[in-house]
Amino acid sequence: MYFAISNILPIAYIAFGTALAAMLWLLWPYRMRIRIGSSASSDDDETSAAPLPPVSVLIYACCNPESLEKMLPMVLEQDYPAEFEVIVVNDGSSSELSDVVKRLAHTHGNLYQTFVPEEAHNLSRKKLAVSLGIKAAKTDYVVLTTADCRPCSHNWLRLMARHFAEGKQVVLGWGRISGLKSAMEAFDQAATGVTWLSAASHGHPYRGTAMNLAYARKLFFDAKGFSRTLNLHHGDDDLFINQIATPGNTAVELSPKARMNASFHNPSKVWHDLKLRHTFTARRLPKGQSRLMGFSTLMMWVWLGAMATCAVFTIPNMLPSCILLLMIPALWVPLTLAWRRTGRVLGLRLRAPFLWWQMLWRWIPDIRAKMSCASAERRNYTWLQK
């Protein structure tokens, strides 16, 4: 064992340079992309210089009367200084859902409902439901969510709508599925959210989440609704947003009080289904941000391989080994802190001891989702449904 640089082989220098280049990439472009809280509207300032506009809250409900009964009072009691209406879109004309709305409508005059006929076929029921809700709305702006969600505060609507008062026409909020027990599922949810939220925060909006989304009705009618994607079941919160959102008309709202939490009996299955839907529609979306994230994962493996190569070809020289040992915390500590901070912004608990493993292996659920989409591609098209 000795400390010297004179006997280090050229291949070790090449490996060290490669490791250093990968490390610099991960600490600069990659780390900056996952620090979404610093560049988005994450403050809790609930005031706006301009008066808040009237808005319509559209709630998609399908076979979940218990969830709707818990969710509706939380929306109806929002602290919103302007006029707002709540429209429940009852998919399937469920009598149980209708009864929930009727009971609350006796004490809330701004609560309404519309129906998607149960016999509707050969089209996306979700897109039809959203279209019916938007056409029934009486205001210029709509805020969309689902009956399985819960707003995190009484100021959710105020925080989402404040951007309309500032001249924006699309607002991308955040919604998370709570109860995911797998550490990889929790990280995958955070990484998926970071991918599109970071793009929007840097001026390249291309998708949102149906749990927490808002836009001007005029944009919907100008775009002729979902006419471009009527052949697909899904795309109401990604393909359509990619169509109407621009750097100038879009805002990102990441205040903790503006989040939506979604609860399900089987959250893992719901997350898996949601991932499959968005993996399929992602084929038609810009791929710059997702490729950047994928390239960053590749750089982690390049860094790891280069570090191992350098260590092997410098044995038994202790000088390179000491430098390599210092490089490990120099990379993983900042990345761990960045992901932990991002997890707090998104309301997700990311466990530090597992983050290095999740960052390295997150490509596996992505590959599985793409393979599942390939085997079930036909199910995504409305024209194949009877």
Side-chain angles (χ1 to χ4, degrees):
M1 301 294 180
Y2 58 92
F3 292 86
I5 61 173
S6 57
N7 295 327
I8 297 177
L9 297 175
I11 191 173
Y13 284 112
I14 295 173
F16 180 79
T18 303
L20 187 60
M23 183 176 175
L24 291 175
W25 170 272
L26 293 169
L27 287 177
W28 186 246
Y30 176 65
R31 183 166 166 263
M32 291 301 103
R33 283 286 174 168
I34 62 178
R35 290 173 57 87
I36 55 173
S38 62
S39 58
S41 301
S42 57
D43 61 272
D44 288 332
D45 181 14
E46 296 149 19
T47 62
S48 176
L52 294 172
V55 296
S56 301
V57 180
L58 305 185
I59 302 175
Y60 174 77
C62 179
C63 304
N64 48 359
E66 298 85 2
S67 297
L68 181 64
E69 191 159 19
K70 294 177 182 178
M71 191 256 197
L72 267 180
M74 302 175 73
V75 175
L76 291 166
E77 295 168 7
Q78 285 290 301
D79 180 17
Y80 193 71
E83 175 188 354
F84 75 98
E85 62 178 357
V86 179
I87 302 173
V88 176
V89 185
N90 186 339
D91 186 358
S93 304
S94 167
S95 59
E96 292 84 359
L97 288 170
S98 182
D99 291 341
V100 171
V101 177
K102 289 177 181 178
R103 283 198 300 272
L104 288 169
H106 287 301
T107 55
H108 296 84
N110 61 337
L111 176 60
Y112 310 95
Q113 67 176 318
T114 186
F115 302 89
V116 177
E118 187 175 0
E119 61 274 10
H121 293 300
N122 299 322
L123 44 78
S124 168
R125 297 186 65 87
K126 177 65 182 297
K127 291 176 183 175
L128 177 59
V130 173
S131 300
L132 292 174
I134 292 176
K135 291 178 180 179
K138 301 174 184 176
T139 70
D140 293 332
Y141 302 98
V142 291
V143 183
L144 296 88
T145 185
T146 67
D148 295 301
C149 293
R150 309 283 184 273
C152 283
S153 76
H154 292 299
N155 293 311
W156 160 70
L157 188 57
R158 180 195 293 256
L159 288 164
M160 290 293 289
R162 64 176 173 170
H163 300 283
F164 294 137
E166 297 166 358
K168 301 298 183 181
Q169 293 183 295
V170 179
V171 184
L172 305 179
W174 170 246
R176 70 182 185 96
I177 297 175
S178 58
L180 293 175
K181 297 182 180 179
S182 166
M184 179 57 84
E185 288 176 344
F187 180 77
D188 192 27
Q189 182 175 199
T192 300
V194 162
T195 302
W196 60 267
L197 285 169
S198 177
S201 300
H202 287 83
H204 304 286
Y206 68 90
R207 63 155 285 190
T209 171
M211 301 179 197
N212 201 5
L213 180 64
Y215 46 79
R217 290 174 71 228
K218 184 179 185 300
L219 292 180
F220 181 83
F221 294 120
D222 288 347
K224 298 181 180 179
F226 303 115
S227 59
R228 292 189 184 181
T229 58
L230 286 179
N231 63 320
L232 297 176
H233 280 295
H234 312 293
D236 54 287
D237 61 353
D238 48 19
L239 298 180
F240 180 69
I241 293 303
N242 182 56
Q243 181 181 345
I244 65 172
T246 67
N249 74 357
T250 303
V252 178
E253 179 53 66
L254 288 177
S255 167
K257 297 181 181 179
R259 290 191 211 122
M260 277 288 184
N261 291 331
S263 300
F264 302 94
H265 294 299
N266 190 344
S268 294
K269 182 181 184 304
V270 172
W271 171 247
H272 177 72
D273 293 342
L274 192 64
K275 186 175 180 67
L276 289 182
R277 296 176 189 177
H278 284 121
T279 298
F280 182 83
T281 52
R283 303 175 183 183
R284 303 188 178 199
L285 295 173
K287 297 179 174 55
Q289 181 67 9
S290 60
R291 285 174 177 169
L292 185 148
M293 299 294 280
F295 181 75
S296 298
T297 301
L298 175 63
M299 285 297 99
M300 292 179 193
W301 284 99
V302 169
W303 175 84
L304 192 63
M307 292 277 285
T309 301
C310 187
V312 169
F313 281 90
T314 55
I315 294 175
N317 194 336
M318 290 295 294
L319 179 60
S321 299
C322 291
I323 297 175
L324 295 177
L325 286 174
L326 291 175
M327 289 176 65
I328 294 174
L331 174 64
W332 290 110
V333 170
L335 290 186
T336 298
L337 292 176
W339 272 113
R340 292 271 290 176
R341 181 178 182 273
T342 297
R344 288 192 294 271
V345 172
L346 300 180
L348 298 168
R349 183 185 177 188
L350 302 180
R351 301 174 182 176
F354 300 110
L355 279 172
W356 66 271
W357 172 74
Q358 293 161 350
M359 283 186 270
L360 283 169
W361 295 100
R362 193 234 165 186
W363 58 273
I364 292 182
D366 283 348
I367 293 295
R368 287 176 177 171
K370 290 179 180 179
M371 292 176 64
S372 297
C373 281
S375 63
E377 181 172 345
R378 292 170 61 86
R379 300 177 189 174
N380 291 280
Y381 292 99
T382 56
W383 49 269
L384 291 170
Q385 300 298 306
K386 296 181 180 180

